[in-house]
Amino acid sequence: MAELGSSDGNGKIEIPILKENKERKGGGFLLSGAPGAGGAGVGGVGGAKAAGGLLALLGSKAGIAAVVLALGGAGLVGYSALKGQAGPQGAVAPNLSPIESSIQVRKRSADGSRSLKFASESADGSIQWDPSNPSGGASQASAKDAAAADPEKAGTPEQDALQDGQGQVADAKPRLNSGDFGQLSQSLSGSGSGAAGGQSIFGNNGAFKPKQMQGNMGNNSLMARGGLSGARGSKLAAFGGKQNTRAAQRMTSKGIGAKRAMGQLKFASRQSAQATAAGSTEGGASYAASAFEQGKVTGGQLDGAGGAGLGDMAPAMGGGPDGVGAGNNPTSTCPEGWAMMEGGGCQPPDTAGTNVTPYQGQVDSAQQMTTTALILAVIGIALIAIGYAVGGFWGAIIAIIGAIILAVAIVMAVMAMTMGSSVGDQYGQKEQANVIDKNAESAMDGKKSDYQGQVGESKDVQQSTQEEKNATYEEPR
Amino acid sequence: MRQPPSRTAVLKVTAYGLWGGAVCSAVVSLLVSLRFQSLAPGLDQKLFLVGGGMALLYAIGGCLAYPGLVFKPKEGQPG
């Protein structure tokens, strides 16, 4: 192994001669200044390289200057770091003006925080602190004295006022002088010497009574009826399920009494008209649903058209009466040209109906031909009789004319019968064809027929139609 | 007292009446068919066939009734 450095016993370092890299790799180094270390080789293969570089650096002036500068810089950095930890007084406050908000925050008034004061007044009397606690009072007095003596430790006047209003909040802290957290529970619930006194604030006989607080809050102006100025009782509690349940219980649906379809249609027409005229969506929906359900919704939250529809909330806020259900709407009107019917509903105007019976023309033509045939037959028979009576040449002429007319009457009667049979075959109106046939046969004989078919059924149909037209409905009771 | 018409005179009056009726029936049936042509499909044709058929029957009846044309009446029988 090549010797990289050695000491001569006087502490002088001998700079090794670096001839070859192989020799440097395997060389060790000598600790400088180590007494009695001359010739003692320490180190291994790894440390020889760093030591050789350091020694080479120290071997030149520039290297020494670099080391000095490096050490000086490190010292400055360390000094700066230590100085920065000494205190924030020396730190410069950052400029936050670019991100500063323009919203003005309202400062507390001289009376202190309103919300805290409000809560303090709400819980007035609920928390009863033990006045006989000497330590609590003493600590309070001592705290005030200390605050008066030391202006810096003393709070602002607002804080003082707040502290006075809140009671012994600061003194309510349990003592932790024992250093044991087990004392915390003892101070709160036991007979410790805390500011809460000798009573447990959560105990049965304690000063902190949640039920009492709840009662006091119920008597508070915020929760009590009539507490808010200008309102007839605060209805904040009215939003509870009790009122809604009661309103829903009152809501019932009663069906109408309508035996005929026309009566049901009249009721549906009336409900639809009221749904159109309803001022609120809920009322319109109620009316529209009633038109199909054939019933009226009574009670509940839905009022008439334009009603408040908020149950008991409405009268409390000065609105209308309680929901009375989908009652009659006096403002409902019928469409233009329609007439208001007695008992409700709208009646369409009487318009000239159009007969769309497909065989009506054939029936009318058959009836007309039958009548003509009857007349011609009578004339022909009369002329024949006259010609026979007259006799001679003119009698023969009159008889021939009469025969011709009678022949034409018969032809027309047969054609009327043909039309009747066509109506019966093509449209299935057998009875109508039978009426035409009977009349045509009578016309060929020169007689008027009184046969009008099954008259009894026709009258029943007309009567039923009239009854259906006049049908109405009964209001639910 | 006026004598009743003879049988031949009655048959001739009947025959003339049937022929005249056949012609008038044909005309009436034609007019009715044209008049009610739009009432129902096929009704006008049916009416014309009925009227024409009646007119044909009248014509045939006139021919049969006219004495001596088809049937020769017996001599000496009253009308």
Side-chain angles (χ1 to χ4, degrees), chain A residues 162-187:
Chain A
L162 175 63
Q163 192 174 31
D164 292 336
Q166 292 293 325
Q168 296 82 3
V169 177
D171 296 335
K173 295 186 296 184
R175 289 185 175 182
L176 301 176
N177 50 4
S178 62
D180 187 1
F181 284 97
Q183 290 293 113
L184 176 61
S185 59
Q186 292 180 2
S187 299

Side-chain angles (χ1 to χ4, degrees), chain A residues 195-222:
Chain A
Q199 297 177 352
S200 171
I201 62 174
F202 296 106
N204 293 331
N205 297 325
F208 190 78
K209 300 176 179 178
K211 290 184 177 180
Q212 185 179 357
M213 288 186 64
Q214 186 176 2
N216 292 334
M217 292 183 69
N219 296 327
N220 189 269
S221 58
L222 176 63

Side-chain angles (χ1 to χ4, degrees), chain A residues 39-62:
Chain A
V42 181
V45 177
K49 182 179 180 179
L54 179 60
L55 293 176
L57 185 63
L58 294 175
S60 61
K61 293 179 179 178

Side-chain angles (χ1 to χ4, degrees), chain A residues 103-347:
Chain A
I103 299 174
Q104 299 295 331
V105 179
R106 185 174 180 267
K107 296 181 179 179
R108 285 192 305 186
S109 63
D111 298 332
S113 175
R114 293 185 176 182
S115 59
L116 293 178
K117 184 178 180 181
F118 190 75
S120 173
E121 293 176 358
S122 300
D124 187 15
S126 299
I127 301 177
Q128 299 175 359
W129 307 103
D130 189 2
S132 62
N133 184 11
S135 62
S139 61
Q140 182 182 7
S142 61
K144 287 187 175 181
D145 296 338
D150 191 358
E152 294 181 0
K153 293 182 179 179
T156 60
E158 291 82 4
Q159 291 176 344
D160 293 337
L162 175 63
Q163 192 174 31
D164 292 336
Q166 292 293 325
Q168 296 82 3
V169 177
D171 296 335
K173 295 186 296 184
R175 289 185 175 182
L176 301 176
N177 50 4
S178 62
D180 187 1
F181 284 97
Q183 290 293 113
L184 176 61
S185 59
Q186 292 180 2
S187 299
L188 289 173
S189 60
S191 59
S193 59
Q199 297 177 352
S200 171
I201 62 174
F202 296 106
N204 293 331
N205 297 325
F208 190 78
K209 300 176 179 178
K211 290 184 177 180
Q212 185 179 357
M213 288 186 64
Q214 186 176 2
N216 292 334
M217 292 183 69
N219 296 327
N220 189 269
S221 58
L222 176 63
M223 300 299 175
R225 295 176 180 266
L228 291 178
S229 60
R232 291 189 301 165
S234 172
K235 284 296 180 178
L236 294 178
F239 284 105
K242 182 179 178 181
Q243 303 292 338
N244 294 333
T245 304
R246 192 171 59 190
Q249 289 176 353
R250 291 199 303 264
M251 185 170 62
T252 58
S253 178
K254 295 181 179 180
I256 64 168
K259 296 180 180 180
R260 290 183 175 273
M262 183 56 70
Q264 299 175 4
L265 291 175
K266 288 178 180 177
F267 176 77
S269 174
R270 173 185 167 183
Q271 294 299 108
S272 298
Q274 290 181 346
T276 305
S280 61
T281 307
E282 293 81 2
S286 176
Y287 286 125
S290 299
F292 291 97
E293 296 174 356
Q294 295 292 312
K296 283 189 172 182
V297 178
T298 305
Q301 296 182 349
L302 293 180
D303 202 347
L310 288 177
D312 286 344
M313 186 65 184
M317 301 302 289
D322 278 356
V324 293
N328 295 333
N329 186 4
T331 60
S332 63
T333 57
C334 294
E336 184 178 0
W338 289 43
M340 178 69 75
M341 299 180 62
E342 186 179 357
C346 300
Q347 184 177 12

